């Protein structure tokens, strides 16, 4: 049934005025508006023809996020590298000793984002730290040892 903008004939009782309220809704009125049924969320899938790994989920595990926060605190100088003795390899601890306090930050570092990707028993993560008016970035690799993630590699944004 078509509706004219000035007057229409509609059997629906909701259409008491001159313009039908339901005539403005739906795909016909806005072809770019997605049609989502109530109670259902559209599934996110990678675009066809693209070679990329499917992410496991949107949320980084809490223990990985905590490890990133602790490493950020070492980089700012608010935590000793020895505090991460059980959570980092000797090479990473040595790197943290060298970089300790390299980020000038008057307040406690705040993680803005933490990204992660798993590949087998290995995990690679990246974190963005908010320090005063600047944002800094570091990345680390971790492996599962004894039920916990242990940092095995560390890279910073190069300005440290």
């Amino acid at each position: 049934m078509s509706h004219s903008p000035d007057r229409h004939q509609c059997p629906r009782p909701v259409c008491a005025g001159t313009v039908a309220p339901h005539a403005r809704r739906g795909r016909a009125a806005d072809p770019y508006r997605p049609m989502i049924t109530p109670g259902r969320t559209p599934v996110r899938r990678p675009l066809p023809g693209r070679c990329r790994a499917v992410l496991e989920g949107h949320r980084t595990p809490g223990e990985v996020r905590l490890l990133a926060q602790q490493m950020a605190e070492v980089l700012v100088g608010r935590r000793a590298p020895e505090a991460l003795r059980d959570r980092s390899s000797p090479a990473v601890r040595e790197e943290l000793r060298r970089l300790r306090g390299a980020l000038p930050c008057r307040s406690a570092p705040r993680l803005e984002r933490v990204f992660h990707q798993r590949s087998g028993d290995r995990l690679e993560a990246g974190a963005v730290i908010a320090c005063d008016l600047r944002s800094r970035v570091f990345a680390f690799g971790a492996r599962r040892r004894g039920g916990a993630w242990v940092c095995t590699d560390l890279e910073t944004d190069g300005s440290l």
Side-chain angles (χ1 to χ4, degrees):
M1 175 171 283
S2 67
H3 292 91
S4 65
D6 55 347
R7 198 173 169 114
H8 70 281
Q9 301 295 323
C10 184
R12 295 180 71 187
V14 97
C15 295
T18 58
V19 178
H22 64 272
R24 287 176 261 134
R25 291 189 219 146
R27 192 177 296 273
D30 188 3
Y32 299 105
R33 183 176 163 197
M35 296 295 285
I36 300 173
T37 58
R40 298 209 46 184
T41 304
V43 177
R44 292 184 182 183
R45 294 189 178 112
L47 296 173
R50 299 244 175 139
C51 258
R52 28 177 205 181
V54 178
L55 296 176
E56 291 181 352
H58 300 288
R59 299 198 187 275
T60 302
E63 59 183 320
V64 174
R65 190 171 183 80
L66 178 64
L67 180 60
Q69 177 68 38
Q70 292 170 343
M71 291 175 66
E73 290 170 1
V74 171
L75 292 172
V76 169
R78 292 185 171 255
R79 182 184 292 265
E82 288 74 27
L84 297 177
R85 180 179 45 240
D86 299 336
R87 306 286 313 269
S88 60
S89 69
V92 170
R93 275 195 308 279
E94 193 61 39
E95 184 73 11
L96 286 172
R97 279 189 202 101
R98 188 181 68 79
L99 294 173
R100 182 179 183 196
L103 294 178
C105 195
R106 283 177 260 147
S107 60
R110 191 182 86 242
L111 290 178
E112 287 183 347
R113 291 185 178 180
V114 179
F115 304 96
H116 77 286
Q117 181 68 45
R118 285 190 191 184
S119 59
D121 65 337
R122 185 161 171 69
L123 176 127
E124 293 188 12
V128 180
I129 311 168
C131 277
D132 299 332
L133 298 176
R134 295 194 63 183
S135 291
R136 306 305 284 266
V137 180
F138 70 94
F140 63 95
R143 289 192 183 274
R144 243 353 183 172
R145 286 190 195 147
W149 290 106
V150 176
C151 182
T152 56
D153 300 308
L154 174 68
E155 291 183 27
T156 59
D157 61 0
S159 58
L160 299 179

